[in-house]
Every structure is written in C-alpha cells, then in structure tokens.
Amino acid sequence: MSDHLMKALCGTALALIAGAWFGAVAGALSWHLNAPALPDRAWGQQFASEIFPEAQQVRVDLIPEVAQYEEAGTQEERLGFFLFGGDDYYPGQLIVTARVNAPREVIAGVGPLLQRAGWTVGSHTPGEDVTAASDDLTLWVTDVQPDGVEVSVYRQTPAAVRWATGTAWLTGVLLGALLGARRGRKARARSRATSFFALGAALSLPAAIITSATLVAHVFTADDTYPLIPWEAYMYAILRPLAILGFAALCVAAVLIVKERGKARTAPAEPMVTN
C-alpha cells in the first residue's frame, strides 16, 4: 500500500471519528443550553379532548429530557448497562395515545382540527400520517393498531444547536484529518502505537460513520419531524461498547505516540564517521 493511500485512509478514518465526537459533544451541550420546554401532561389531555373528542380512552406519556431511554429505570437495572447501553433511546417527547374507532378515518380528518388549534399542517395524502408545526414544536400523528391514534410532540432542533453541532463537526473533521494523515506517514513502522491506532479506529468507525452521516444530513436540511440528537448512535447496545473500547484504544495509541516522540528526542545522536 502506498504512503499516499495510507495517509488518506488514516486521515479519513480519524476525520470521521473526531468529527462525530466533536459534533456529539457540542450537540449535547447546546441542546441542554437551548432546549425549549415540552408541553406537560395536562396540556396533552386538553389537546386530546380538542383533537379527538370521540376518543374512548386517552393516555399521556412524557419524556421531559432532551433525550432518554423510554424504560430508563428498567434499563439501568441491567448488568453492564453503562457499557452496553439499551435499545429504546428517544428524543424527549410528549406522547398522546387515544383509543378510537377507525383510526385512519380519524387521521384523515385531523388536519383542519390542528389548523384551527394554531398548528401549521404539512402536506400529506388524505388518510396518511400527519405532521404539523407550531412555534418550536413539531407533532406527528399516526395510527397504533388495532384501534389507536398516537400523537408524538417533539421539540424542534434550535438553530443554535445546528450551528454548534455543524461547526464542531467540521472542526473535528479538519483536526482529525490532519492528525490521521500524520499518523499515516508512520503507519508502515510496526509499533504498538500503530496497532492500537488501527484497533481503535476500526472499533470507533461504525458509530462515527452513522453519527457523521446523520449529523450532516440533518444540519444542512430543514427537516424537524425528528429532532437532531447527534450522540444517539453512542447509546445503543451494539455501537456503544465498540465506541467505548475504540476510544480507549485510541487513547492508548496517543500515549504511546507521545512516548515514541519523547524517546526520539532524547535518543543520542549517531557519531559522525570520518576517514
């Protein structure tokens, strides 16, 4: 493998990884600083009475955090939860579930009711799922078989979150590409640092690729049907342990690289040979 190709591979890998890390951290911080409040359960009950007056039963669930496991208490009781994560991680939301007859017929007529309540209804085919926006919230109306209609109310992604996340991702990509390319120049030299770097990159890339792709797609579009949670990939059972182990391996590689450079600086110079 040529030196140029090795530099390109190492640079690309570390660019995606660093971009995902930077973007995820910036996204988490900016969300917690700028997240608008979600409506409470009382609002959900009132909303259901206006939009689904014929409902036989209404249930309102609230996940008030920016993002959380739906069954947080159950998840945290599992052995190894910190390392392995879970499988039901969602953005914060208010969920209104109404038991009705003919859910699809109810959904077909919900648009005008939402408009009268002050929501801007998105374009949709009659009878299909309905999305609507109001201020800094988005809702999504769908059916729950066999006889339910579900409304999920989400926060829209604040502009500050988009800017912070996108800027941090680009910064991480540039820094990672530079550091990765520099490591790629020395990748042919077999050393423990190179081995740990390769292992860490391989373990970190799955979550990094998903995070970077999701982040880029969301930051540069105006789709707020589902909020941008850039750290989400790091919370799931398969990707989370790989990312944690990959981060640990890259940290070990960084320490070994620093030690290698220290030894190179302190190594005695070879004596000059004269005739």
Side-chain angles (χ1 to χ4, degrees):
M1 186 180 295
S2 69
D3 290 341
H4 290 298
L5 181 56
M6 186 65 72
K7 288 171 60 177
L9 289 175
C10 291
T12 301
L14 201 56
L16 289 173
I17 293 166
W21 288 351
F22 281 43
V25 171
L29 292 175
S30 56
W31 256 116
H32 283 88
L33 290 173
N34 297 282
L38 280 174
D40 58 17
R41 288 187 174 87
W43 181 94
Q45 291 286 351
Q46 179 63 29
F47 175 86
S49 67
E50 296 174 358
I51 305 301
F52 309 119
E54 74 284 8
Q56 303 166 20
Q57 183 180 353
V58 174
R59 174 180 171 179
V60 180
D61 297 298
L62 177 63
I63 302 176
E65 295 84 0
V66 170
Q68 181 58 276
Y69 292 100
E70 187 175 27
E71 302 294 338
T74 302
Q75 298 273 14
E76 291 170 359
E77 293 173 359
R78 290 167 40 189
L79 182 64
F81 173 72
F82 174 80
L83 176 62
F84 292 102
D87 57 2
D88 61 352
Y89 193 77
Y90 300 110
Q93 57 187 297
L94 178 78
I95 307 170
V96 179
T97 306
R99 184 182 173 191
V100 298
N101 295 319
R104 277 294 156 191
E105 293 182 10
V106 171
I107 293 174
V110 81
L113 296 175
L114 289 172
Q115 289 176 331
R116 284 199 291 271
W119 293 82
T120 301
V121 179
S123 59
H124 62 282
T125 303
E128 295 300 316
D129 291 358
V130 176
T131 60
S134 176
D135 297 328
D136 49 14
L137 300 174
T138 295
L139 65 76
W140 188 350
V141 186
T142 189
D143 65 316
V144 180
Q145 296 299 328
D147 59 355
V149 176
E150 182 178 275
V151 182
S152 298
V153 182
Y154 301 100
R155 301 175 176 92
Q156 292 180 5
T157 306
V161 172
R162 292 180 184 273
W163 277 100
T165 304
T167 302
W169 181 82
L170 286 173
T171 301
V173 165
L174 294 174
L175 181 60
L178 176 63
L179 295 177
R182 292 185 64 182
R183 188 66 223 166
R185 288 186 306 181
K186 302 179 181 180
R188 288 184 178 279
R190 296 187 179 278
S191 66
R192 288 191 301 163
T194 298
S195 299
F196 274 102
F197 179 86
L199 176 63
L203 293 173
S204 301
L205 271 174
I209 291 172
I210 293 173
T211 298
S212 291
T214 301
L215 188 153
V216 170
H218 202 118
V219 166
F220 297 106
T221 67
D223 181 15
D224 271 313
T225 302
Y226 203 71
L228 169 64
I229 307 296
W231 63 92
E232 185 176 14
Y234 294 100
M235 307 305 291
Y236 283 93
I238 296 176
L239 298 174
R240 183 179 178 88
L242 294 179
I244 291 174
L245 294 174
F247 177 77
L250 288 173
C251 287
V252 172
V255 171
L256 293 174
I257 289 170
V258 171
K259 287 185 176 181
E260 287 178 359
R261 290 180 178 176
K263 289 180 180 179
R265 290 195 188 100
T266 58
E270 295 184 1
M272 293 182 62
V273 178
T274 59
N275 293 329

